[in-house]
């Protein structure tokens, strides 16, 4: 495969110009570098108003042919995946492209033997072990649609996702490690499956040795895999066939199953991976995300493997056995590109810098950041102590919905600017809008929007195209609306200022406030609740829940503990509010709408900045909330 990256500012500028003048030819040129069984007959068909977006129409491919088979000709013995276990005392694994190909084909045959076929949905609820990447690719091999659910989600959240996609098979494990904790994944799956009817089989990977209950439809992964060989032809997929569903939070209680398709997603993840990180042959690349999130899909599995890279998977956490674990792993595997989240950097920054300095980080060439705005202090700590002021930092802005990085510098090729994601990638037409939807020129603050499709944009929400239209294409007709605000400087650099909707990013995880409120409202003492985000020095944002109860509360501590547990059970521990405040009322407009803007200020304790509260239905609650906060 040709090197897809622009290695100089000149070639970058040339590409950018070309992409604006001839967007279709620009993408067609890039797409030609992949293996297609038959080429497309039309590059793009789109209508943002409908909305309908299709790329490489009529093209036939299988993404695993591109991620695996073609590398067997050029570099079969190169390591594809390095697996670093949770516990440093356990051995790392090195899986070559040849071996990965064989294991994916075998897993694909295992799925087929259990009835899976093209178009079926398969849920992956697994720890960060190589078998998760293998499962992802095995689904893609046979054209089954994978729906990975982050292993930190609760049984209720898992059940909702399985039911929404009507998955027929669940792949899970007995358990997964996270630092000194073991998550009982099979047990949680069992609990979820009590509320699901579509699932016919559960295939369980033995990983931690945790004792599990056994049900009629359960099968051990090792038993099933032993029955099949590793010969599995790739299913021929249409460019626009779904590749996977991945759920993300929205403004209502129901998560949105974003649907990504085969052709465009492959082209864009490979292109963006190669360009942003400036990956070079032989480099070791490490993204610390979990494959349960989009970052793991695009930049642990598909993007890196599509270009034949060596990608590192880590099961553990940055704090175990100590806060130097990331740097130990970087030194051990001589990592060249390191990609993590600001929340991890902020957590590590609180510990002695000797934990960084004692590891040899001289292999590092590029550092990356993703998931939330990176604050100035964290940026500089990352630059000084990890990069030793010698590694470009790519601050990559994108979303589950965009499939790949849309705004970022290209490491060492285009300028960086602390706290700025900087410039849109070639091929991405970003704009700023004012509240009326007019494009704003030059330096300004506004609403970020994209005015032309790119290949990896999600095509729909599973089972709910109307919602897809309403959330992303209705507020500003003619544009894709991501839900983020941004600031643009005189050089066209973008700084993402945060969400402009009811999604709060806590430790890099997108959390809708609505599902958390729904969970709180389930408690028999709670009448109404409102959840907002407030600034937090490690998590970026934390959650403040205001709850109204139907009786006087003698012991608020007990209620608070019960409510936190309820949220953990309904969504997952990541969604537990930091603060829960019992109040007698919530600030409301005369039409009864909760004034979240005011609640956000109250939660942030910005009391001088509340604005006019006199028009509220119940201005007196403001004082009360301030008093007992
Ligand atoms: C936020 C993660 C500032 C943003 C890939 C977006 C960012 C949401 C950045 C998507 C960044 C992501 N700077 N904010 N570099 N990257 N975000 O779907 O609000 O988990 O809309 O995708 O994260 O989160 P998601």
């Amino acid at each position: 495969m040709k090197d897809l990256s622009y290695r100089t500012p000149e070639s970058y500028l040339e590409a950018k110009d070309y992409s604006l003048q001839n967007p279709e030819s620009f993408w067609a040129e890039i797409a030609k570098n992949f293996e297609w069984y038959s080429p497309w007959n039309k590059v793009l068909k789109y209508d943002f108003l409908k909305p309908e977006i299709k790329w490489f129409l009529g093209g036939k491919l299988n993404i695993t042919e591109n991620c695996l088979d073609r590398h067997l000709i050029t570099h079969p013995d190169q390591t594809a995946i390095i697996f670093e276990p949770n516990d440093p005392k356990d051995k790392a694994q090195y899986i070559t492209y040849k071996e990965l190909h064989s294991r994916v084909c075998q897993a694909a045959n295992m799925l087929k033997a259990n009835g899976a076929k093209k178009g079926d949905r398969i849920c992956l609820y697994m720890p960060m072990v190589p078998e998760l990447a293998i499962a992802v690719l095995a689904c893609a091999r046979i054209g089954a649609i994978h729906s990975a659910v982050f292993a930190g989600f609760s049984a209720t959240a898992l059940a909702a996702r399985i039911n929404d996609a009507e998955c027929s098979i669940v792949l899970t494990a007995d358990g997964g490690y996270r630092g000194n904790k073991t998550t009982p994944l099979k047990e949680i799956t069992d609990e979820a499956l009590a509320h699901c009817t579509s699932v016919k089989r559960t295939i369980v990977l033995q990983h931690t040795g945790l004792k599990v209950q056994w049900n009629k439809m359960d099968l051990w992964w090792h038993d099933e895999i032993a029955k099949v060989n590793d010969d599995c032809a790739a299913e021929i997929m249409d460019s626009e066939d779904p590749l996977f569903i991945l759920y993300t939070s929205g403004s209502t209680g129901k998560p949105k199953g974003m649907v990504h398709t085969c052709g465009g997603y492959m082209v864009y993840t490979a292109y963006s991976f190669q360009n942003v990180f400036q990956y070079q042959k032989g480099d070791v690349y490490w993204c610390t995300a979990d494959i349960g999130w989009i970052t793991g899909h695009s930049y642990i599995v598909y993007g890196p493997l599509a270009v034949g890279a060596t990608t590192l998977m880590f099961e553990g956490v940055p704090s175990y056995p100590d806060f130097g674990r990331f740097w130990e792993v970087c030194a051990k595997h001589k990592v060249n590109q390191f990609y993590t989240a600001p929340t991890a950097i902020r957590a590590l920054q609180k510990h002695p810098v000797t934990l960084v300095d004692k590891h040899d980080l001289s292999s590092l060439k590029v550092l990356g950041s993703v998931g939330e705005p990176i604050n100035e202090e964290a940026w500089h700590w990352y630059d000084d102590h990890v990069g030793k002021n010698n590694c470009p930092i790519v601050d990559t802005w994108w979303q589950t919905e965009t499939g790949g990085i849309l705004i970022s510098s290209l490491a060492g090729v285009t300028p960086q600017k602390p706290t700025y994601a900087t410039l849109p990638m070639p091929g991405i037409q970003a704009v700023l809008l004012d509240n009326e939807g007019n494009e704003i020129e030059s330096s300004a603050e506004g609403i970020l929007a994209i005015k032309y499709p790119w290949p990896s944009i999600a095509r729909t929400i599973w089972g709910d195209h109307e919602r897809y239209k309403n959330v992303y294409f209705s507020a500003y007709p003619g544009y894709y609306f991501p839900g983020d605000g941004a600031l643009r400087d005189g050089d066209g650099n973008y700084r993402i200022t945060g969400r402009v909707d009811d999604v709060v990013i806590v430790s890099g995880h997108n959390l809708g406030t609505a599902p958390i409120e729904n969970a709180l409202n389930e408690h028999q003492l709670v009448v109404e609740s409102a959840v907002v985000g407030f600034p937090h020095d490690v998590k970026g944002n934390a959650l403040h829940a205001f709850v109204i109860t139907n009786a006087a509360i003698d012991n608020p501590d007990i209620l608070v503990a019960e409510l936190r547990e309820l949220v953990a059970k309904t969504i997952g521990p990541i969604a537990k509010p930091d603060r829960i405040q019992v109040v007698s009322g919530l600030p409301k407009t005369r039409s009864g709408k909760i004034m979240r803007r005011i609640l956000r200020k109250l939660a942030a304790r910005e009391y001088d900045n509340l604005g006019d509260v006199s028009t509220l239905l119940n201005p007196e609650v403001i004082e009360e909330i301030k008093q007992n906060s």
Side-chain angles (χ1 to χ4, degrees), residues 535-590:
H536 184 281
D537 64 347
V538 174
K539 299 179 182 183
N541 296 292
L543 299 171
H544 187 130
F546 299 89
V547 298
I548 304 178
T549 53
N550 55 15
I553 305 297
D554 297 335
N555 191 338
D557 291 349
I558 296 179
L559 176 67
V560 166
E562 284 175 5
L563 288 174
R564 284 168 54 83
E565 198 38 50
L566 189 56
V567 172
K569 231 176 123 27
T570 315
I571 301 165
I574 50 176
K576 281 197 252 183
D578 268 36
R579 303 191 201 135
I580 298 182
Q581 183 179 1
V582 179
V583 295
S584 70
L586 294 165
K588 288 189 178 169
T589 61
R590 289 183 190 274

Side-chain angles (χ1 to χ4, degrees), residues 398-416:
W398 59 296
Q399 312 177 291
T400 305
E401 295 86 336
T402 69
I405 298 165
L406 299 196
I407 304 184
S408 171
S409 54
L410 311 191
V413 176
T414 66
Q416 62 189 30

